[in-house]
Amino acid sequence: MTETQNLTLVQAVRDGLFTEMSADEDVVVLGEDVGKNGGVFRATEGLYDEFGGDRVIDTPLAESGIIGAAVGMAAMGMRPVPECQFSGFMYPGFDQIVSHMSRFRTRSRSRFTLPMTLRAPYGGGIRAPEHHSESKEAFYAHEAGLKVAIPSTPYDAKGMLISAIRDPDPVVFLEPKLIYRAFRGEVPEEDYEVPLGEAITRREGDDIAVFTWGAMTRPTMEAAESLAEEGIECEVVDLRTVSPLDREAIVEAFEKTGRAAVVHEAPKSGGLGAEITATIQEEALLYQEAPVKRITGFDVPFPLYALEDYYLPSAARVEAGVKEAVNFP
Amino acid sequence: MVALTKLRELYADMVTARRYEERLQEEYLEGKQPAFDISAGPIPGELHLAAGQEAAAVGVCHHLRPSDTVTAPHRPHHVAIAKGVDLKRMTAEIFGRETGLGKGKGGHMHLFDPDVNFACSGIIAQGCPPAAGAALAAKKRNEDAVAVAFLGEGAIDQGGFLESLNFASVHDLPVVFVVEDNDWAISMPKERVTDVEDGSKRADGFDMPGVRVDVDDAVAVYEAAGEAVGRARDRNGPTLLEVQVHRRMGHFMGDPQTYRSDADEEAALARDSIERLERELRDRGVDDAELNEVREDAETRVEEAISWAKEQPHPEPGAAHEDVFVNPPSGVTDSEPDFELAGVSGDE
């Protein structure tokens, strides 16, 4: 019988780090405040005491240096897990991500591989200013050579992080900080993997497929329950990994329902909702009964707190959007 | 005093690198004139040559072992040769051939050879953080390997460089940062981009030894680098080493250098580090016949590499999809590429 713990998402992240650092000496954590301080969101709490400053490395406030050093360590065969305090702090290290992290393998006939996992809290909802709140997963999904994982539950957070760290390829691991502590879930004490690239159906329904990930899974589920009371049954698919996309799961859910909505907090234009919509067009056009509805953030820089609730898709917006798609024409 | 056998080795690598770039220049310019067409000829795309900078590369790399890491910038050929990168495969890569170091998909400023731990970064100064990381890995694993990051003096205002100096210093990393000062940041002379003429002084701000070799002299570089690499090898921390070199050509092949005076170019050509080393070899009793022999060997090596490379096939179009992931995920591309429709094929 597997022992479980009742953990928040951020505690599950920490548990995943602990598990992999215990199992493999080549796994090291580096970043700003990750050591003695335990991380700005406590994702590395206690790791410094357990594993020491040699493996939980406090770095200068310099993301190009952090991510680039991880690239070098990974090229030498280690499994570094660099952290950026907020996904908005990845930008000073962006060149290391797109010029090195994603491409060493291609440039070297597969002889250099970078088994590194770049972690960062991302997304809005905590009343923080724009670069502490925005949702730029499409940047990284657009970059070939990177995997982009976004868990939405404590169970997935630990299992997907373990998969990411063990993955021989570089992974951008985005953690929805709005739900870092919003709820608890059962998490096995042992190690386990939740495979990257596989979506999960959170709710079954015949009327419309709703695709989402990360923190948006909750308002989407809330809307789905409410819509069920009106007789509209949503199939809610949590994609979990936005690169590679689980296109089979997308097409399967769409063919079942003939209608779809995508919910993401990133701005609409160029967001991954467009990629999902295009996949449906390419693979399942003849099943289509209504335009795919995109329920997303707006094409603006992430607004300050007073406008945040307006900006982020809410359960009410999801409900309205879904109804539009279901009632078409 | 540096042993005569070592001077001969430095000289051999320097003339190989110089001859290599002279020949690359010829190959590169084929078909690109009179109106400069960057897409034409056997080496399409850009080509950044390092002729005049050989002293820095050989003086440093002759202290290194295959297990030591080197990251080179966009002007990497001389460093790659000095580090012992396979010349044939490197040449095939520059010509975009299937057997190149990167399967003909990386090109001349993306040369990667794990056999000698050599990597490049086409973006200036961005090789510094990975070099620091390689040094950190060696330190953590108690290996005696060191890392060296090469960059130009035009790159020393980049954050990645300064972040790496700080990181290396605070963690006492076994790494050496080698600044090749060729006086020009593309079209900008050094005095117009910095008030600090001696770039090695930047080390002071990081409590790190900073050394400048003020002449184009491979022997002086070899001696200074010996201390710097030794310091890293002995786990006594990083060093910043700046080396005065010269730029014999434009920033890229085809650069008309309208920003540069004839006098500056002539002065650069006059302070040739290879001629300097030849004089020293002669002073120590090496005769012309022996020098000729070294040059002929270099010529042969270069010609063999280039003719081998040119016989190699171009990569098949499907190679574009390879080497992205260790475990290629399904669903990244949702249909098989149609090469015929795309109008492309490998070699017939």
Side-chain angles (χ1 to χ4, degrees), chain A:
Chain A
M1 178 86 188
T2 305
E3 296 293 319
T4 62
Q5 325 153 70
N6 198 25
L7 301 181
T8 63
L9 194 149
V10 70
Q11 286 171 334
V13 167
R14 184 228 170 252
D15 198 39
L17 289 171
F18 188 92
T19 302
E20 286 310 278
M21 292 188 77
S22 303
D24 183 352
E25 282 200 350
D26 280 335
V27 178
V28 297
V29 165
L30 65 162
E32 298 161 6
D33 306 326
V34 299
K36 276 195 170 174
N37 183 46
V40 64
F41 288 103
R42 321 308 303 160
T44 55
E45 189 158 37
L47 297 181
Y48 182 90
D49 292 336
E50 182 68 25
F51 301 105
D54 274 353
R55 292 184 61 203
V56 187
I57 305 161
D58 279 316
T59 64
L61 309 183
E63 287 79 8
S64 177
I66 295 166
I67 301 169
V71 166
M73 295 174 89
M76 294 297 110
M78 298 191 75
R79 290 187 180 270
V81 187
E83 174 186 298
C84 286
Q85 284 199 340
F86 292 91
S87 64
F89 298 177
M90 289 160 76
Y91 311 150
F94 199 69
D95 185 68
Q96 290 293 337
I97 298 171
V98 298
S99 290
H100 290 162
M101 185 175 162
S102 64
R103 300 182 193 181
F104 257 45
R105 181 175 178 77
T106 303
R107 288 173 178 168
S108 68
R109 310 180 71 87
S110 296
R111 295 183 66 211
F112 277 121
T113 59
L114 299 183
M116 62 185 283
T117 301
L118 172 57
R119 290 183 42 249
Y122 97 110
I126 64 160
R127 301 286 185 260
E130 58 184 73
H131 55 280
H132 286 54
S133 291
E134 58 202 3
S135 180
K136 297 293 185 189
E137 64 272 29
F139 283 176
Y140 308 105
H142 189 60
E143 177 63 20
L146 297 177
K147 296 180 181 177
V148 185
I150 306 177
S152 72
T153 68
Y155 181 89
D156 280 357
K158 178 175 175 179
M160 288 169 66
L161 182 58
I162 290 173
S163 293
I165 293 171
R166 293 177 184 174
D167 199 293
D169 290 312
V171 178
V172 173
F173 197 84
L174 297 173
E175 298 162 8
K177 60 183 169 300
L178 173 63
I179 54 171
Y180 255 165
R181 296 186 178 80
F183 56 94
R184 288 175 178 270
E186 292 301 308
V187 176
E189 280 183 10
E190 62 183 21
D191 71 282
Y192 62 96
E193 294 186 28
V194 173
L196 304 183
E198 287 187 15
I200 187 168
T201 302
R202 296 287 182 202
R203 185 185 190 286
E204 298 210 8
D206 292 330
D207 295 321
I208 182 168
V210 187
F211 302 104
T212 190
W213 55 89
M216 289 297 104
T217 307
R218 291 187 89 207
T220 302
M221 289 296 285
E222 197 185 315
E225 295 308 325
S226 167
L227 286 161
E229 289 170 16
E230 299 178 37
I232 298 172
E233 294 294 341
C234 299
E235 174 110 344
V236 177
V237 179
D238 175 0
L239 291 170
R240 300 198 287 193
T241 304
V242 295
S243 181
L245 274 178
D246 189 345
R247 293 180 199 268
E248 274 179 36
I250 293 169
V251 171
E252 193 180 323
F254 184 74
E255 288 181 351
K256 178 176 167 188
T257 59
R259 297 170 194 263
V262 184
V263 186
H264 64 60
E265 57 183 284
K268 180 187 247 182
S269 296
L272 289 165
E275 184 62 33
I276 292 162
T277 305
T279 298
I280 289 168
Q281 296 281 305
E282 287 171 344
E283 303 293 329
L285 180 67
L286 297 180
Y287 291 82
Q288 190 159 0
E289 293 173 24
V292 177
K293 182 67 189 173
R294 288 183 284 167
I295 302 151
T296 69
F298 305 123
D299 289 345
V300 298
F302 195 95
L304 209 52
Y305 61 90
L307 299 176
E308 187 174 45
D309 292 341
Y310 166 71
Y311 173 90
L312 288 172
S314 60
R317 269 176 68 195
V318 175
E319 271 187 57
V322 166
K323 280 184 185 169
E324 209 179 300
V326 169
N327 294 331
F328 183 88

